[in-house]
Amino acid sequence: MLAIAAAVLLAMVAIGCGDDDSGASGSGSKTPAKPVKIRMGLGIPGEEIKYVMMHNPQVAKNLGTAYDVEWHQFSGTALGVQGLAAGTLDCASVGGLSVANGIDKGADIVIMGEFLEERRPWHTTAWMVRKDSGIDSPADLKGKTVATNAIGGSTDYLQDYYIEQKAGLKPERDYKKVEVPFGQMQESLLSGRIDLGLFPQPFYGAVNATGKVKPLFHVTDLIEPFVQIMNGCRRDFVEKNHDAMRKFQDDWIRISRWIHDPANRAQVIAASAAATKIPAKVLEKFLLTKQDYYRPQSGGVSTDALQNEWEFFRTQGGIKQDLKVSDHVIDGLLPPAD
């Protein structure tokens, strides 16, 4: 049910969606004579703006005229950052730590928009154990097997940090750490192949419904709010294709606002189901409710929260440099903050 789809190719078709009411700063920018191809990295789950762009292209007014998209799917944001650093991607979904690590190592990446963040009372990602595992605290993980979806990502770092701070345990020295895709996390935990698993939505809802698991800790136990997934692009690509990227940002804002309209919820669920291969009946239980993550209305970045996040990682040794979010955005292209 939760199998991850292979990379999806977008049909290069544009369908108008009425007047430009996005409110983006790029209104009035020139449409390129030929659509600019954007090699775009994406992941699963949580990236509904991209899923709608793929499966409801009529909402993206400038798609097919100002730009086209070539989709590349990855299992974690760290891989998307690697693609940006290597120049094999133009834009990609990035995590708060993974993009900071990329910038820290010399990649010139600019933040363009935000999908979601973790803050109460909305859903927050949970690390879960079996109720019969005998694990009641991080100290009980000694000698156990702990799963992460992608080594080097934000949650991977937070996981290691939390366990060490609470119990003094380090991966490989005190417990085994393995990579497990989200789609296989539930079966791996319930079968006993791992003892601790990481569950964002919708995987949290599915595993929690079994009644066989309990949370050990949550992301917001470490830092809140936590900017989880954003869209980042290579600075040189954005500057070279400024007009096209303005049009893309107009569509980003338009789609984000379209997603928040309750009248469109069924279409959002259908687009998400098509992109992720997660059944619509699963998504209906949480998507765009308080059981979902917080999503900014216009797809803008919570820059203050992201700055606090980077300072947290810097203090804890996750990155080596003092990074300023303001140095990694482009004036006039960032969507408005809520």
Side-chain angles (χ1 to χ4, degrees):
M1 178 181 69
L2 300 176
I4 296 178
V8 186
L9 291 179
L10 177 67
M12 304 303 187
V13 179
I15 306 174
C17 64
D19 294 335
D20 185 350
D21 58 355
S22 68
S25 60
S27 58
S29 60
K30 296 179 181 179
T31 298
K34 180 181 179 181
V36 172
K37 183 177 75 173
I38 305 173
R39 298 171 297 173
M40 181 73 70
L42 80 157
I44 290 173
E47 301 177 17
E48 270 63 33
I49 295 176
K50 290 186 179 179
Y51 306 155
V52 168
M53 186 175 288
M54 288 185 353
H55 295 283
N56 298 78
Q58 72 276 9
V59 185
K61 180 179 178 181
N62 301 300
L63 178 60
T65 54
Y67 65 91
D68 283 322
V69 182
E70 178 183 286
W71 299 101
H72 300 265
Q73 186 173 304
F74 298 99
S75 61
T77 60
L79 296 175
V81 172
Q82 290 173 20
L84 294 175
T88 57
L89 293 175
D90 303 312
C91 299
S93 303
V94 299
L97 175 60
S98 61
V99 72
N101 267 324
I103 294 170
D104 197 36
K105 295 174 182 176
D108 198 357
I109 300 171
V110 291
I111 305 300
M112 302 292 285
E114 180 183 315
F115 294 99
L116 51 85
E117 62 189 65
E118 309 220 10
R119 62 164 71 176
R120 290 169 285 194
W122 287 269
H123 174 74
T124 178
T125 298
W127 280 266
M128 310 287 281
V129 297
R130 297 183 307 280
K131 288 181 177 178
D132 62 0
S133 66
I135 299 172
D136 298 310
S137 74
D140 298 325
L141 294 172
K142 188 170 185 178
K144 305 295 186 180
T145 299
V146 172
T148 182
N149 72 301
I151 292 175
S154 300
T155 50
D156 178 60
Y157 182 88
L158 291 176
Q159 170 180 298
D160 291 351
Y161 171 78
Y162 187 84
I163 294 172
E164 182 174 358
Q165 290 297 306
K166 293 296 182 180
L169 305 180
K170 289 181 174 291
E172 306 313 323
R173 188 191 74 181
D174 300 304
Y175 59 87
K176 182 180 179 181
K177 184 164 74 169
V178 297
E179 279 190 325
V180 178
F182 285 131
Q184 300 173 19
M185 197 76 73
Q186 176 174 322
E187 194 277 332
S188 297
L189 180 63
L190 296 181
S191 69
R193 290 200 297 273
I194 61 173
D195 300 293
L196 178 71
L198 167 65
F199 293 88
Q201 286 287 30
F203 308 105
Y204 171 83
V207 74
N208 198 50
T210 68
K212 299 179 180 180
V213 297
K214 62 182 180 180
L216 193 63
F217 57 97
H218 299 81
V219 163
T220 48
D221 292 333
L222 290 91
I223 183 171
E224 184 182 8
F226 184 79
V227 178
Q228 186 61 272
I229 311 177
M230 299 169 285
N231 194 46
C233 301
R234 292 179 11 245
R235 185 189 297 271
D236 61 346
F237 177 83
V238 176
E239 291 178 345
K240 179 181 178 181
N241 302 286
H242 194 272
D243 287 340
M245 292 308 296
R246 274 195 169 190
K247 295 293 187 180
F248 177 86
Q249 291 298 91
D250 283 352
D251 284 348
W252 181 276
I253 296 168
R254 182 180 294 104
I255 293 171
S256 184
R257 292 176 177 173
W258 187 87
I259 285 171
H260 280 85
D261 185 342
N264 300 322
R265 185 171 184 259
Q267 294 181 76
V268 177
I269 290 171
S272 186
T276 65
K277 304 307 177 187
I278 298 169
K281 64 181 181 180
V282 174
L283 298 171
E284 287 171 351
K285 296 177 181 179
F286 75 92
L287 195 64
L288 302 177
T289 72
K290 281 295 179 70
Q291 298 304 311
D292 195 3
Y293 295 98
Y294 169 77
R295 299 168 184 267
Q297 185 80 22
S298 299
V301 181
S302 298
T303 54
D304 289 344
L306 183 60
Q307 184 64 55
N308 182 59
E309 196 170 312
W310 284 2
E311 290 172 2
F312 170 83
F313 287 130
R314 174 73 173 97
T315 300
Q316 305 305 328
I319 52 178
K320 297 179 180 179
Q321 302 179 56
D322 292 320
L323 301 178
K324 293 183 178 180
V325 174
S326 58
D327 293 336
H328 302 283
V329 298
I330 295 179
D331 291 340
L333 289 184
L334 201 63
D338 287 359

